[in-house]
Amino acid sequence: MPQTALSPGKLERQAGGLRATGDWTLPHHQRLRKTIEQQRPGHAANTQDLDLKGLGELDTSGAVLLVEIIGPERMLEVANWAPEQPAERHALLLAVAGAMQHSDPIPTPTRSPAVAALGEIGRIMENLGRQQLQLLGFIGLTLGSLASVLLKPWRWRVTALVAHIQQTGLNAIPIVALLTFLVGAVVAFLGATVLRDFGATIFTVNLVAYAFLREFGVLLAAIMLAGRTASAFTAQIGSMKANEEIDALRAQGLSPMELLVLPRVLAMMISLPILTFIGMLSGIAGGAMVCVLALDISLTQFLDILQRDTPLRHFLVGLGKAPIFAFLIAVIGCLEGFKASGSAQSVGEHTTSSVVQSIFMVILIDALAAMFFMEMGW
Amino acid sequence: MSRSEEAVIEVRGLVNRFGPHVVHEDLDLDIRRGEILGVVGGSGTGKSVLLRSIVGLKHPDGGSIRVFGQDLRRLPADQRSRLERRFGVMFQRGALFTSLNLQENVALPLIEHAGLSRADAEHLARVKLALAGLPPEAALLAPDALSGGMTKRAALARALALDPEVLFLDEPTAGLDPIGAAAFDQLLMTLRDALGFSVFLVTHDLDTLYTACDRVAVIARKRVLVADDLATVEATDDDWIRDYFHGPRGRAASQAAQRLEDQ
Ligand SMILES: Nc1ncnc2c1ncn2[C@@H]1O[C@H](COP(=O)(O)OP(=O)(O)O)[C@@H](O)[C@H]1O
Ligand SMILES: [Mg+2]
């Protein structure tokens, strides 16, 4: 059994059959298998005699090959035709032969690639449709349990809610602030470059303010949370599912919706508007920095224009979208977690899917909302 | 390969602790070539931790562990990996890779370490699964579709993938029905006789101790109290051992083993 390569296994032809010599062990497996294929053109030659007298080391992989050469039925009578072998080796060969009697190769279904590709497209489309249906159902379920809990303050999970607000909201403040600050600076630069040709550099202030109040503040914060928190929700709930923790909750008569989903959804709906507000401020600050340092617009001038030219409704339009985005992101994150099955692979796939879906939804809804607000003249 | 006094694994003065909680203190144990060593002890006495220390998954806080005459911790990474390949480990909860089906689970070490082609490795894997007592159609199942007993068998098949020299089994028959457990003991003995590996067998199954084990080590009070053949262990003057072997279950298992021998 020690894996010495002293006498590599061989299979030779001799009068009346085949002769196996040397070590039939795992390191020689690949080569021995090739030899067997060569020695045995056609697969009907299972009846040959096999001489084991020169056999060295033998392990299960070698035993498998020997059984393949003469077939499991004959190997079960190994004690008759190879009595010189020690009892342990008989035991091994018998065990392997017994196992191989029942381990016929499983036919794998083969289909033409064209049909497979069509089938794959069909499956993807069907999944897409089913996904939206499931999402609608899950939204209904969430709203239903929210309604049932709302009037019963003793069932509010305040501790869980606060913990989730800390994770999704408070801990995300630095990254959201930094991100929006940088994007604010970039927008200001872009605006200045284009507007300078018209001698309208001063309107950079309006550009930054409008962009961040209406769109960028909420959009950047939402995308950040979709990547940061929707994935976390999916992974948390998914691995709880894999560990049968969700089933354990249900079996104890506890509602996973109430315990797991509602605190997360509510925490998200509280955190995102706050983060949006912070994002707006810090984006405008980024713009202000560029205006002051690069465009010769003083800070007082900047603030003056900001106050004079920017109606409140831009701020409200931007902030109003935040709870809707938050709800969608949280619901998608949780739902994907519940869809994960027991495997690590599946948790990974659903985490990816939850991030992609929630970012897609956020941008889609934002585009629809932009058109709606434009038509309304808000 | 005959059973001998030669130790493949020597544990000397092992110390393990988690923070202030001392699990092992000055623990000595030998695993001899070709033997099935049963390791018993109450829940939480550190059987799994001992197993993890020997196979190198937990860094001991003191003492030495020599494997095939070498100290695993002092070896460079590649030599160490080569030594570790001579171990087969079956974890308490199976620890099958959930994103692979059973035959891929067993084939993985064959492809990675023995350099087999995928087709050969999967063919060998199916035989090993059958050896471990699984039906052929189980080969394509995912681990989360298995019952507890099937998971144990699949985990055994994976532990046996590379024909290890030392097999570590953590409570392999827990969760198997009595018939399945007896078949498992029989399978273990057949494979041990055929392949000559040594077995470190953590178990609570008294029947396994009586039918399959050559020696039994009792872990209690942070040490190995005794490690000897069953008769000697049973006769040891210790409260825990007396309760364990001479309680109602111990007596029943001992009588059953006696009847088996008489037949
Ligand atoms: N990773 C760990 N961290 C802290 N304590 C641990 C850890 N693993 C095991 N223990 C402790 O070590 C002791 C022995 O555990 P274990 O070896 O699993 O027991 P058993 O003998 O039942 O297999 C237990 O008290 C357990 O709480
Ligand atoms: Mg344990």
Side-chain angles (χ1 to χ4, degrees):
Chain A
M1 213 181 30
Q3 290 166 4
T4 44
L6 289 180
S7 56
K10 283 202 195 79
L11 184 68
E12 294 152 28
R13 243 171 219 297
Q14 66 174 28
L18 294 166
R19 192 160 78 99
T21 55
D23 293 345
W24 284 57
T25 50
L26 200 52
H28 308 298
H29 186 87
Q30 195 88 24
R31 196 178 40 74
L32 281 169
R33 180 172 286 282
K34 282 213 192 69
T35 325
I36 294 174
E37 316 265 293
Q38 287 159 8
Q39 295 279 2
R40 204 181 47 167
H43 290 271
N46 265 352
T47 48
Q48 283 161 323
D49 271 337
L50 186 63
D51 178 0
L52 300 180
K53 291 197 185 64
L55 201 59
E57 303 275 350
L58 180 71
D59 65 8
T60 27
S61 71
V64 167
L65 292 177
L66 292 178
V67 174
E68 270 174 23
I69 294 173
I70 66 159
E73 285 75 21
R74 254 180 73 67
M75 191 53 94
L76 287 175
E77 298 151 11
V78 62
N80 296 338
W81 53 263
E84 76 286 353
Q85 297 293 325
E88 300 98 71
R89 191 158 284 174
H90 283 159
L92 171 64
L93 288 168
L94 286 180
V96 171
M100 287 180 70
Q101 256 186 328
H102 309 293
S103 77
D104 304 321
I106 311 149
T108 43
T110 48
R111 276 184 301 170
S112 83
V115 174
L118 277 178
E120 190 63 21
I121 293 175
R123 205 171 8 257
I124 290 173
M125 292 311 292
E126 198 192 335
N127 274 343
L128 220 61
R130 193 171 320 133
Q131 223 169 43
Q132 305 317 315
L133 223 62
Q134 269 179 335
L135 183 58
L136 284 177
F138 194 72
I139 290 177
L141 206 57
T142 311
L143 292 176
S145 36
L146 185 63
S148 80
V149 171
L150 214 54
L151 295 179
K152 301 171 188 158
W154 64 93
R155 272 165 63 187
W156 293 356
R157 313 272 159 188
V158 180
T159 320
L161 179 67
V162 174
H164 281 296
I165 291 180
Q166 180 182 357
Q167 280 163 25
T168 52
L170 197 62
N171 295 351
I173 288 178
I175 185 69
V176 168
L178 178 67
L179 196 77
T180 43
F181 185 85
L182 295 177
V183 174
V186 171
V187 169
F189 261 124
L190 272 180
T193 317
V194 175
L195 295 172
R196 183 177 294 134
D197 299 343
F198 304 102
T201 317
I202 198 72
F203 285 106
T204 306
V205 181
N206 302 53
L207 177 69
V208 171
Y210 281 37
F212 271 87
L213 291 182
R214 288 188 75 102
E215 297 291 344
F216 284 177
V218 62
L219 209 53
L220 288 173
I223 289 176
M224 202 61 221
L225 284 205
R228 197 178 173 277
T229 310
S231 56
F233 287 176
T234 309
Q236 286 162 0
I237 295 181
S239 47
M240 286 181 79
K241 178 113 185 284
N243 206 11
E244 292 183 295
E245 289 173 51
I246 308 272
D247 297 339
L249 282 179
R250 285 215 178 95
Q252 289 174 308
L254 301 168
S255 151
M257 291 305 289
E258 207 179 303
L259 254 67
L260 303 176
V261 177
L262 285 189
R264 287 178 167 80
V265 171
L266 291 179
M268 188 73 123
M269 290 179 72
I270 294 172
S271 302
L272 188 57
I274 298 175
L275 286 174
T276 300
F277 182 64
I278 292 172
M280 290 169 174
L281 289 186
S282 123
I284 292 175
M289 186 194 71
V290 170
C291 288
V292 171
L293 296 183
L295 302 181
D296 287 333
I297 302 172
S298 75
L299 193 59
T300 17
Q301 212 178 352
F302 185 94
L303 292 176
D304 196 35
I305 300 173
L306 197 64
Q307 198 187 9
R308 200 187 57 219
D309 286 0
T310 329
L312 180 67
R313 67 164 200 279
H314 294 320
F315 172 71
L316 293 181
V317 159
L319 203 63
K321 291 186 279 191
I324 300 169
F325 289 172
F327 182 77
L328 279 174
I329 294 171
V331 163
I332 291 174
C334 293
L335 173 60
E336 287 300 313
F338 282 111
K339 283 201 249 169
S341 68
S343 71
Q345 170 107 15
S346 153
V347 174
E349 275 167 9
H350 284 284
T351 307
T352 310
S353 162
S354 89
V355 174
V356 172
Q357 269 188 66
S358 45
I359 292 182
F360 175 78
M361 276 296 178
V362 163
I363 294 180
L364 182 76
I365 305 268
D366 190 59
L368 293 178
M371 280 193 278
F372 174 75
F373 291 139
M374 205 168 67
E375 291 297 321
M376 300 298 288
W378 288 351
Chain B
M1 221 168 294
S2 61
R3 258 157 271 166
S4 65
E5 297 286 297
E6 180 199 348
V8 282
I9 289 173
E10 293 170 316
V11 181
R12 290 290 174 269
L14 180 72
V15 180
N16 269 315
R17 42 180 117 73
F18 293 100
H21 175 42
V22 179
V23 180
H24 298 135
E25 193 154 36
D26 202 17
L27 180 147
D28 295 344
L29 183 67
D30 280 355
I31 304 174
R32 297 179 191 158
R33 190 177 288 288
E35 76 170 348
I36 298 184
L37 173 70
V39 177
V40 297
S43 283
T45 45
K47 304 180 294 294
S48 300
V49 171
L50 175 60
L51 188 155
R52 293 172 68 85
S53 320
I54 297 177
V55 300
L57 293 172
K58 177 180 185 308
H59 197 89
D61 297 297
S64 77
I65 298 173
R66 297 179 74 76
V67 175
F68 306 115
Q70 285 170 299
D71 191 341
L72 262 191
R73 285 188 291 154
R74 300 244 167 79
L75 290 180
D78 57 329
Q79 274 181 44
R80 186 175 152 160
S81 157
R82 214 170 307 136
L83 268 191
E84 281 168 355
R85 241 172 271 172
R86 292 156 73 179
F87 290 159
V89 185
M90 173 180 162
F91 290 94
Q92 196 162 0
R93 270 176 281 182
L96 295 168
F97 306 121
T98 50
S99 45
L100 305 177
N101 67 28
L102 293 196
Q103 102 184 8
E104 289 166 341
N105 258 286
V106 183
L108 182 74
L110 291 169
I111 296 171
E112 294 297 324
H113 284 321
L116 299 194
S117 71
R118 176 163 285 274
D120 283 352
E122 290 190 345
H123 175 69
L124 214 52
R126 280 198 296 275
V127 177
K128 304 234 165 178
L129 287 168
L131 263 181
L134 285 166
E137 57 280 5
L140 297 182
L141 289 181
D144 51 354
L146 300 183
S147 68
M150 288 168 89
T151 306
K152 298 274 181 187
R153 288 169 187 277
L156 176 71
R158 190 180 66 183
L160 287 174
L162 290 172
D163 281 308
E165 286 176 60
V166 189
L167 190 60
F168 294 87
L169 307 175
D170 200 346
E171 304 196 15
T173 50
L176 291 189
D177 59 276
I179 303 171
F184 191 98
D185 294 344
Q186 220 56 51
L187 170 71
L188 192 62
M189 287 190 287
T190 307
L191 289 174
R192 191 277 311 265
D193 289 342
L195 296 167
F197 51 62
S198 324
V199 183
F200 178 98
L201 174 68
V202 176
T203 187
H204 287 302
D205 191 333
L206 284 154
D207 291 313
T208 307
L209 286 183
Y210 280 99
T211 47
C213 295
D214 303 309
R215 287 197 312 144
V216 174
V218 179
I219 301 188
R221 300 196 290 276
K222 302 171 188 163
R223 292 182 302 112
V224 172
L225 284 190
V226 270
D228 216 319
D229 57 44
L230 251 173
T232 319
V233 171
E234 276 181 347
T236 306
D237 186 26
D238 179 87
D239 286 345
W240 192 84
I241 295 181
R242 207 171 306 118
D243 289 348
Y244 192 84
F245 288 99
H246 302 291
R249 280 157 166 259
R251 273 199 306 276
S254 142
Q255 282 158 9
Q258 198 58 48
R259 275 199 300 279
L260 256 177
E261 261 166 41
D262 293 344
Q263 279 170 17

